[in-house]
């Protein structure tokens, strides 16, 4: 057996098994394996059996602690072998699909991956509470959707039969169910849905809205049962194609149900997903802390071993440790040299140029290449090279192409010369020791090689290496350097998570191919009209991998529909459920591991030398301009020379200027040469910054800017000056230029002027003035929302709005004038909010002027009135805080976005070179079908058909393509947001060459380009953006101090109140009634079993609501109705019993009030709905909201589930900040909606734009933007609003409107949608995650470190019983009784002697213990805190002082501890027993040998 031990632990054995598993995985990817693959399969099984035998022989099978069975991963090996032999005996597809299990051996074969899976498992365990909360919320929301939209999605537009009376019911039902009688829009597979409400979708003429046929998407999209409703709700939670679900539901149920989807998205998606992110992030933080603690422990052990070695060295007199140190030092020196002697000799001969060390030419060349201007020139050349590469487009003229070619050669020569100069200046040995120099050399060599091989076909791809020069900017750009380091760190340190994600993707791909591949081939006609495999299938490994990758990207519902149609519902649902949950968890784990292990600040570094050189070069240029300006005649700027304390002149001559002509600001920046260190440059910057700050603090013009930075801008109500006189109206320079403006020089008008300004100040500072202006802004915003396409038909409303606009303009002008008089022009225009007000007033004046005078040149300003709602941001403190925080972070966020866009630029340039001009195709303009390559092969064939009078044929380009870098950015944004990315990838996969007709998957492997971009351009950049914003907002919060993120001071007080209330338990004491019957009822209702009984019935009520289905039988409807009736009677009886028992105290509890309201609503929903349905025109669906309150009783579950209650508490604490963000987002959404109505109201309908999704009215416009908030469907709206002739008619007359044409505005549409998408991602996604993550971390840290207020009060009251004098001390003998007298969670029940002693409490004189020590020890034991006891003790001492400030904590010197005293007692007892034993065995009697006091004598 000893022979097997090294075998199963050897590197060769593990490598052999790993190679076998990898080979086996390769065979798994073959969809149709050849006959000889059976022998390979038998070989793999034999190797696995051999591995098992070796491990069993080495470790034993089952007897012992470290045997083979004790390792759970070995069970996987047994399952693999068992299933392999089982497949040979049982011919079953389910059993054969288990052959993918060997792929999981990759996890056990790689230790780092196994560790990552263990971390993932620990994270999943900590997600129990958030999973329960999510399931409950999704179930409740699914139940609401079930009762609101049950059967609605079957309503279709059915052709009205010509003779309805001749059709009997069977034939009539068959007629309306026939898909041929349904209305289909051009190019759509699904029948058009409709509704019978005024705000629902309408049918065209000749069609009637009826419930007929199956539900959309093969019948899988519906709310007809709880299962399908839950699937729809889970789909909305993951935000996968939910805009289609929104569109179908609003068409059939009405636009009024948008509020239901708003609740689903905010609560079921944003909040729940943010909570999941917060829980997983906290789990990773704790794991990271545990790893750091383990590393710290190991370092301490290592230090202890080193100390022991040193002690041993001192004792033995040996020098082994010294030798080890010498060896380690020698090893460090060897690491800096080539390792082998041959390499060292080669370096000494060829790389080290010792002969030129004293060469003057080399020294001059070295000074030249290290000069700051050299770096500046190189950076400028890199930027220019990038600009020239980005100028490539399709089509290009020959002259422009030659210009770009010449520019490329020039830049190639420049960078080649740079490499040569640096190589000559530094020498090869020093040159190649710098990583950036090696990178520059490779790029320069490849680009020079490309020039020589430019005419060889197939090698033009080398030209793309020029794009890699963009990475050189990271040498001088910290944020771009941080992004690249984040990618590099993830590929290095986090390779275990990356490999785990790759293994999961591979496993699901192989499993999907083997499980559903055959069904796709056999039943393909069910999902394809021409019975050919669609683009997304699992018939082979490549397409199965693409499907799995698409699932990981968040799109799973569409491919699952196809899978369920061809392979059945159960298997596909299980497969996709596991793929979505496990894949999302793995992606989220990798995301958060990057965010936590590699925070933004850890990467934000760049080359110090490069940054300093650029700064010095720019300062020299700036100083030169300042010097030139100082020599302009007429300037009186006389600055003396600056000298330091030693009297040395610090002003060097610059460009031939005299030192007294140089500006002082320039002098502080330019006296540093290139040889000075980085610290000196930083000292200069700090000196200049402090100087500028001191100057700004003395300037009165910067008051508003400082208020803006602190989030304390005054809007409307300006601060009064300390003096009685109002602030000056104009700046000092205005007074010097025009003295007549100074009213102080005119004593006669001074008092009148001051009285007028005092009156204006009183007016603008009055609260009613602010309320009136806010009301007018709201009215003007509503007026803008009313101006839709129907306004021309409502002449009265139009007239009212025209006059109202003039009134609004007058009010805003009057307000502006009052503020001018009150605060002065200087104070007005230094306020950023007032500048916005001035812009709005100016636009309103120009718009009114255009309306009154009819000037067509000013008509464009009427559309700019849409910025008027932005004034609401300054009127609400919550939105103002959000805006202030965002503006404070705007420069930083912009820099980070530019770094991300620079990385995207590389993919954009590569995309232009790969796909430029290749997205054109010959299509049928009527059916939008692409011509087959058998009929049309290129553009020439398409033009031939056009010349043959085929008017419907067109050579058309894709609306989103890669013809230039600008449109490539738009394409990459769609790919990054996973909206419209499939069409782009389809075009790339079908592309062949320029002016060639695309062919189905002719270039299928071009999808690799998009996969690489999604990984590096989407995943990493989004991670980097969130990490950067999160770190910056944390710094901003630290600056604010007590004020939290996105919260005002009042909201922060509310937050602290909620935090305090969440820590305190209700202490309402209800006396037991004296009445006997009421006393019995009191005993009944105060028992826990009573609440549990009704909680069970609340769950039963929800379950009863869940089992309702569409078209259920009358018997089932009758039974469910009476079950609801019985449960309502039970809840009513509960209310009566509690009111009778508790009396007026019943309403002292919030839960009781909640139950009372629900009972009232239950009764109303049971009786009033039937009454309204019978005698009025209300339908049951219209009154179903009241009946749906039945599900609210399930909220009592959160009183029992502690973890879920804590998560809800986090949401409640985050509510103020989330409301502020939501208010800000609503104002932005309102503004964009009005803007969209002005520009896209008459866009041609088709595609995404119809009678529900459009910009014709404010309601439809806000629905569109609500969908785009999650980036859903913005690609479809963008394509429709970018339509140009001949796809639209620019001269079409719109009924009742003077506007002509139905074309879009491409430039406006691109700016409109991209800006809103970026704002939505930044606000609605990142801000929600940041707020909830921050509050969850605070709650987790608070719950781990602090003691609840109720427990603290309980401890103090119990201590007062044992310490009535208030001395803060009790005797140690009382500790056992004291700990037993405490209540949970601090109580330590008897017998507790050992636990009390093990707390190791310090003992004072008289064997007394201090209350603070006891409190700290109990808190640490309950909360599981092992470290940082000093911090915990300090916090507890502050709480004790706060509770009794008159009694100061006495300082004492502990003389011992409980554990030490116990050890002393045990030692004394052992000594006494040993002495007695010894004395008993002695021949001399103890009494005789003892003295008179019983003490042995010395002579004995």
């Amino acid at each position: 057996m000893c022979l097997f031990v090294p075998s199963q632990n050897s590197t060769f054995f593990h490598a052999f098994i790993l190679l076998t598993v990898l080979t086996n995985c390769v065979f798994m990817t073959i969809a149709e394996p050849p006959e000889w693959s059976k022998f390979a399969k038998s070989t793999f099984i034999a190797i696995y059996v051999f591995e098992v035998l070796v491990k069993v022989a080495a470790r034993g099978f089952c007897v012992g602690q470290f045997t083979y069975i004790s390792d759970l991963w070995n069970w996987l090996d047994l399952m693999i072998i068992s299933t392999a032999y089982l497949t040979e005996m049982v011919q079953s597809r389910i059993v054969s699909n288990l052959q993918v299990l060997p792929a999981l051996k990759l996890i056990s074969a790689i230790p780092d991956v196994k560790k990552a899976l263990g971390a993932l498992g620990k994270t999943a365990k900590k997600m129990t509470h958030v999973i329960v909360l999510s399931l409950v919320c999704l179930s409740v929301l699914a139940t609401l959707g079930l009762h609101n939209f049950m059967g609605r999605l079957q309503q279709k537009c059915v052709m009205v039969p010509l003779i309805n009376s001749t059709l009997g019911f069977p034939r009539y039902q068959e007629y309306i169910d026939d898909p041929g009688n349904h209305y289909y829009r051009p190019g759509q597979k699904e029948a058009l849905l409709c509704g019978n409400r005024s705000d629902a979708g309408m049918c065209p003429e000749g069609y009637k809205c009826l419930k007929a046929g199956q539900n959309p998407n093969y019948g899988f999209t519906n709310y007809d049962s709880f299962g399908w409703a839950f699937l729809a709700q889970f789909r909305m939670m993951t935000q996968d194609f939910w805009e289609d679900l929104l569109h179908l539901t609003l068409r059939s149920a009405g636009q009024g149900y948008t509020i239901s989807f708003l609740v689903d998205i905010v609560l079921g998606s944003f909040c729940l997903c943010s909570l999941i992110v917060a829980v997983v992030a906290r789990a990773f933080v704790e794991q990271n802390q545990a790893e750091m603690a383990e590393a710290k422990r190991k370092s301490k052990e290592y230090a202890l071993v080193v100390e022991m070695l040193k002690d041993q060295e001192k004792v033995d007199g040996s020098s082994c440790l010294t030798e080890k140190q010498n060896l380690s030092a020698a090893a460090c020196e060897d690491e800096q040299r080539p390792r082998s002697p041959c390499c060292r000799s080669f370096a000494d001969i060829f790389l080290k140029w010792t002969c030129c060390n004293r060469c003057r030419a080399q020294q001059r060349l070295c000074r030249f290449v290290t000069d700051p201007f050299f770096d500046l020139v190189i950076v400028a050349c890199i930027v220019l090279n990038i600009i020239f590469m980005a100028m490539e487009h399709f089509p290009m003229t020959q002259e422009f192409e030659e210009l770009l070619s010449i520019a490329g050669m020039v830049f190639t020569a420049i960078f080649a010369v740079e490499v040569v100069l640096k190589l000559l200046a530094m020498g090869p040995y020093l040159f190649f020791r710098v990583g950036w120099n090696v990178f520059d050399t490779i790029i320069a060599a490849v680009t020079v090689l490309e020039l020589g091989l430019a005419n060889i076909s197939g090698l033009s791809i080398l030209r793309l290496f020029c794009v890699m020069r963009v990475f050189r900017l990271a040498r001088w750009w910290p944020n771009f350097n941080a992004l690249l380091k984040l990618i590099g760190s993830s590929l290095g340190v986090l390779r275990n998570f990356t490999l785990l994600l790759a293994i999961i993707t591979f496993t699901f791909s192989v499993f999907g191919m083997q499980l559903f591949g055959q069904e796709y081939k056999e039943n393909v006609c069910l999902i394809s009209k021409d019975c050919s495999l669609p683009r997304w299938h699992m018939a082979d490994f490549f397409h199965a991998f693409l499907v799995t990758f698409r699932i990981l990207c968040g799109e799973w519902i569409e491919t699952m529909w196809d899978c369920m149609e061809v392979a059945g519902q159960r298997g596909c649902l299980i497969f996709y459920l596991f793929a979505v949950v496990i894949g999302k968890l793995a992606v989220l784990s990798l995301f958060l591991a990057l965010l936590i292990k590699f925070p933004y600040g850890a990467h934000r570094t760049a080359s110090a030398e490069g940054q300093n050189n650029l700064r010095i070069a720019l300062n020299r240029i700036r100083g030169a301009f300042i010097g030139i300006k100082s020599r302009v005649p007429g300037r009186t700027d006389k600055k003396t020379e600056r000298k330091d304390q030693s009297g040395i002149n610090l002003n060097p001559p610059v460009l031939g200027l005299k030192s007294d002509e140089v500006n002082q600001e320039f002098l502080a920046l330019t006296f540093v040469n290139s040889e000075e260190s980085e610290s000196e440059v930083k000292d200069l910057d700090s000196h200049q910054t402090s100087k500028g700050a001191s100057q700004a603090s003395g300037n009165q013009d910067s008051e508003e800017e400082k208020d803006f930075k602190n989030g304390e801008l005054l809007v409307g109500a300006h601060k009064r000056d300390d003096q009685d006189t109002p602030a000056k109206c104009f700046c000092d320079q205005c007074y010097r230029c025009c003295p007549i403006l100074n009213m102080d020089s005119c004593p006669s008008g001074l008092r009148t002027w001051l009285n007028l300004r005092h009156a204006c100040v009183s007016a603008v500072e009055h609260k009613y003035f602010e309320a009136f202006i806010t009301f007018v802004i709201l009215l003007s915003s509503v007026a803008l929302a009313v101006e839709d396409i129907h306004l021309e038909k409502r002449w009265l409303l139009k007239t009212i709005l025209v006059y109202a606009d003039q009134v609004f303009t007058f009010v805003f002008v009057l307000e502006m004038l009052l503020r001018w008089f009150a605060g002065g022009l200087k104070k007005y225009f230094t306020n950023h909010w007032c500048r916005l007000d001035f812009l709005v007033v100016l636009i309103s004046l120009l718009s009114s002027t255009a309306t009154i005078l009819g000037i067509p040149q000013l008509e464009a300003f009427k559309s700019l009135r849409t910025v008027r709602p932005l004034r609401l941001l300054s009127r609400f403190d919550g939105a103002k805080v959000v805006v202030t925080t965002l503006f404070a972070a705007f420069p930083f966020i912009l820099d980070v976005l530019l770094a991300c866009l620079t990385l995207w630029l590389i993919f954009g340039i590569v995309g232009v070179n790969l796909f430029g001009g290749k997205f054109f195709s010959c299509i049928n303009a009527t059916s939008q079908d692409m011509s087959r390559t058998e009929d049309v092969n290129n553009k020439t064939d398409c033009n031939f058909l056009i010349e043959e009078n085929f008017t419907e044929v067109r050579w058309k380009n894709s609306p989103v393509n890669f013809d230039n870098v600008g449109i490539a950015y738009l394409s990459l944004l769609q790919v990054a947001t996973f909206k419209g990315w499939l069409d782009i990838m389809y075009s790339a996969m079908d592309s062949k060459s320029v002016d060639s007709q695309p062919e189905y998957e002719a270039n299928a492997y071009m999808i690799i380009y998009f996969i690489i971009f999604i990984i590096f351009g989407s995943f990493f950049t989004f991670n980097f953006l969130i990490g950067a914003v999160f770190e910056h907002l944390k710094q901003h919060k630290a600056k604010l101090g007590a004020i939290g993120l996105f919260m005002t001071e009042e909201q922060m007080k509310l937050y602290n109140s909620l935090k305090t209330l969440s820590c305190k338990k209700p202490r309402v004491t209800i006396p037991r009634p004296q009445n006997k019957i009421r006393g019995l009822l009191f005993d009944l209702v105060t028992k826990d079993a009573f609440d549990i009984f009704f909680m069970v019935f609340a769950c039963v009520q929800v379950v009863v609501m869940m089992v309702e289905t569409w078209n259920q039988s009358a018997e089932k409807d009758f039974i469910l109705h009476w079950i609801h009736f019985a449960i309502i009677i039970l809840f009513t009886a509960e209310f009566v019993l509690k009111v009778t028992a508790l009396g007026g105290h019943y309403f002292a509890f919030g839960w009781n009030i909640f139950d009372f309201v629900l009972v009232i609503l239950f009764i109303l929903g049971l009786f009033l709905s039937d009454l309204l349905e019978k005698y009025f025109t209300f339908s049951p669906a219209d009154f179903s909201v009241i009946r749906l309150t039945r599900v609210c009783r399930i909220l009592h579950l959160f009183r029992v589930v502690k973890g879920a209650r804590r998560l809800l508490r986090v949401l409640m604490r985050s509510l103020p900040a989330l409301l502020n963000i939501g208010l800000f987002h609503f104002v932005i959404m309102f503004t964009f909606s009005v803007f969209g109505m002005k520009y896209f109201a008459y866009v041609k309908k088709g595609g995404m734009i119809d009678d529900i999704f459009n910009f014709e009215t404010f309601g439809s416009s806000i629905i569109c933007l609500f969908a785009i908030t999650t980036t859903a469907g913005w690609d479809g709206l963008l394509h429709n609003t970018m339509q140009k002739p001949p796809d639209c008619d620019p001269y079409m007359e719109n009924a009742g409107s003077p506007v002509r044409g139905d074309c879009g505005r491409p430039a406006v549409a691109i700016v409109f949608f991209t800006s809103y998408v970026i704002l939505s991602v930044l606000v609605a996604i990142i801000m929600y995650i940041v707020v909830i993550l921050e509050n969850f971390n605070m709650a987790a840290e608070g719950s781990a470190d602090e003691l609840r207020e109720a427990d603290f009060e309980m401890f103090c009251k119990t201590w007062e019983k044992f310490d009535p004098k208030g001395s803060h001390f009790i005797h140690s003998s009382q500790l056992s009784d004291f700990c037993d007298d405490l209540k949970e969670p601090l109580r330590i029940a008897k017998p507790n002697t050992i636990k009390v002693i093990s707390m190791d409490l310090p003992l004072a004189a008289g064997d007394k213990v201090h209350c603070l020590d006891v409190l700290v020890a109990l808190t640490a034991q309950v909360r599981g805190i092992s470290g940082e006891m000093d911090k915990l003790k300090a916090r507890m001492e502050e709480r004790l002082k706060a509770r009794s400030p008159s009694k100061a904590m006495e300082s004492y010197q502990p003389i011992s501890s409980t554990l030490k005293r116990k050890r002393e007692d045990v030692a004394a007892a052992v000594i006494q027993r040993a002495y007695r034993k010894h004395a008993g065995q002695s021949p001399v009697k103890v009494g005789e040998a003892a003295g008179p006091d019983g003490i042995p004598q010395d002579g004995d």
Side-chain angles (χ1 to χ4, degrees), residues 290-310:
E291 292 176 0
M292 294 174 62
E294 181 68 17
K296 189 176 181 180
R297 184 186 63 81
K298 290 182 178 180
S299 64
K300 289 182 179 180
E301 292 180 356
Y302 176 75
L304 183 61
V305 170
V306 172
E307 290 294 333
M308 293 175 61
L309 289 175
K310 289 182 178 180

Side-chain angles (χ1 to χ4, degrees), residues 346-405:
F346 177 82
D348 293 337
I349 297 173
F350 297 100
L351 299 183
K352 293 183 178 180
W353 293 353
T354 57
C355 60
C356 297
N357 281 341
R358 299 182 180 180
C359 181
R360 183 175 300 178
Q362 187 182 15
Q363 294 177 0
R364 292 180 179 178
L365 188 60
C366 184
R367 285 195 298 269
F368 175 74
V369 297
T370 57
D371 191 86
F373 275 108
F374 186 83
D375 275 1
L376 182 63
V377 171
I378 294 300
V379 172
C381 291
I382 294 174
V383 174
L384 289 176
N385 190 15
I386 295 171
I387 293 174
F388 273 91
M389 286 189 293
M391 291 172 66
E392 294 189 22
H393 60 278
F394 177 85
M396 287 191 299
T397 61
Q398 185 176 0
E399 293 79 5
F400 191 78
E401 193 169 354
E402 291 178 356
L403 174 64
L404 294 182
S405 178

Side-chain angles (χ1 to χ4, degrees), residues 1379-1491:
C1379 294
D1380 182 65
D1381 199 32
L1382 291 171
K1383 296 180 181 179
E1384 295 295 339
L1386 298 180
R1387 182 172 180 260
I1388 303 178
K1390 289 184 177 181
N1392 56 9
T1393 305
I1394 297 178
K1395 292 184 179 179
V1396 170
I1397 292 174
S1398 62
M1399 290 192 296
D1400 198 15
L1401 298 173
L1403 291 177
D1407 288 349
K1408 293 183 179 181
V1409 293
H1410 196 272
C1411 62
L1412 179 60
D1413 297 326
V1414 178
L1415 178 61
V1416 171
L1418 291 173
T1419 304
Q1421 182 175 354
V1422 171
R1423 301 301 180 190
I1425 303 173
S1426 57
E1428 299 184 355
M1429 297 297 294
D1430 294 337
K1431 295 182 179 179
L1432 179 61
K1433 186 174 182 179
R1435 289 194 294 268
M1436 293 302 172
E1437 185 175 1
E1438 291 178 1
R1439 296 180 71 172
L1440 285 173
K1441 289 181 179 179
R1443 190 178 187 274
S1444 55
S1446 60
K1447 300 177 181 179
M1449 297 292 105
E1450 300 178 6
S1451 59
Y1452 68 97
Q1453 186 68 28
I1455 59 174
S1456 183
S1457 66
T1458 54
L1459 185 59
K1460 185 178 179 181
R1461 182 60 55 86
K1462 182 63 178 178
R1463 289 173 178 171
E1464 292 174 353
D1465 293 342
V1466 172
V1470 170
I1471 293 174
Q1472 289 178 358
R1473 283 196 300 268
Y1475 175 73
R1476 291 192 184 100
K1477 184 177 180 181
H1478 172 73
Q1481 295 177 355
S1482 177
V1484 181
K1485 294 184 179 180
V1486 177
E1488 297 177 355

Side-chain angles (χ1 to χ4, degrees), residues 1152-1216:
N1152 291 340
I1153 299 174
F1154 177 74
D1155 295 340
F1156 170 71
V1157 174
L1158 289 183
V1159 168
I1160 300 299
L1161 293 177
F1162 290 167
I1163 298 174
L1164 289 177
L1166 185 64
F1167 298 103
L1168 193 57
S1169 61
D1170 297 334
L1171 181 65
L1172 293 176
E1173 180 185 1
K1174 185 175 182 180
Y1175 296 102
F1176 298 92
T1177 59
F1178 289 92
S1179 65
D1182 296 330
F1183 207 73
S1184 61
V1185 178
I1186 295 181
R1187 291 188 297 180
L1188 292 179
T1189 54
R1190 300 168 184 171
V1191 300
C1192 296
R1193 283 282 305 199
I1194 203 174
L1195 295 178
H1196 281 273
L1197 288 175
F1198 296 119
R1199 299 172 58 186
V1200 181
V1201 184
K1202 181 179 178 181
R1205 187 170 68 249
R1206 184 164 61 92
L1207 295 175
L1208 284 178
R1209 193 178 299 132
V1210 171
L1211 288 179
M1212 291 299 297
R1213 293 179 181 179
S1214 306
L1215 191 60

Side-chain angles (χ1 to χ4, degrees), residues 850-1018:
T851 303
I852 295 174
L853 302 180
I855 303 175
Q857 290 79 6
L858 298 179
E859 289 292 331
F861 287 98
K862 296 182 66 176
S863 60
L864 295 179
R865 293 180 303 157
T866 55
V867 301
R868 190 180 293 170
L870 292 178
R871 294 194 64 188
L872 292 172
L873 296 174
S874 63
R875 261 59 194 181
F876 299 101
D877 293 335
K880 188 167 59 177
V881 168
V882 176
V883 175
T884 303
T885 305
L886 290 179
F887 265 94
F890 179 75
F892 174 80
I893 294 176
L894 182 61
D895 192 19
V896 173
L897 284 176
L898 288 177
C900 298
L901 291 178
T902 303
L903 182 63
W904 281 25
L905 180 62
I906 299 174
F907 289 97
I909 295 174
V910 174
V912 171
N913 283 271
L914 290 178
F915 311 118
K918 297 180 181 180
F919 283 10
F920 284 87
S921 60
C922 190
I923 66 169
N924 188 320
T926 304
S927 62
Q928 297 296 319
D929 293 332
M930 187 183 300
S931 302
R932 298 183 302 174
T933 54
E934 292 82 1
D935 302 329
V936 177
N937 191 35
N938 49 40
K939 183 179 180 181
T940 304
D941 297 342
C942 188
N943 291 333
F944 178 76
L945 292 178
I946 296 174
E947 292 173 359
E948 292 293 325
N949 293 327
F950 287 90
T951 56
E952 70 277 4
V953 176
R954 288 179 51 201
W955 182 255
K956 184 180 179 181
N957 193 12
S958 176
V960 180
N961 49 67
F962 286 88
D963 289 349
N964 56 69
V965 172
I967 199 69
Y969 264 122
L970 182 62
S971 302
L972 293 177
L973 181 61
Q974 290 193 7
V975 176
T977 56
F978 303 110
K979 304 303 175 184
W981 66 304
L982 298 181
D983 294 333
I984 299 173
M985 286 197 300
Y986 296 160
S987 300
M989 294 168 66
D990 297 345
S991 63
K992 292 190 297 186
S993 60
V994 178
D995 293 340
S996 295
Q997 178 72 1
E999 185 178 355
Y1000 181 76
E1001 293 190 354
N1003 203 5
Y1005 289 96
M1006 278 295 115
I1007 198 173
I1008 298 176
Y1009 165 82
F1010 297 98
I1011 293 177
I1012 295 174
F1013 171 76
I1014 289 172
I1015 295 174
F1016 295 100
S1018 178

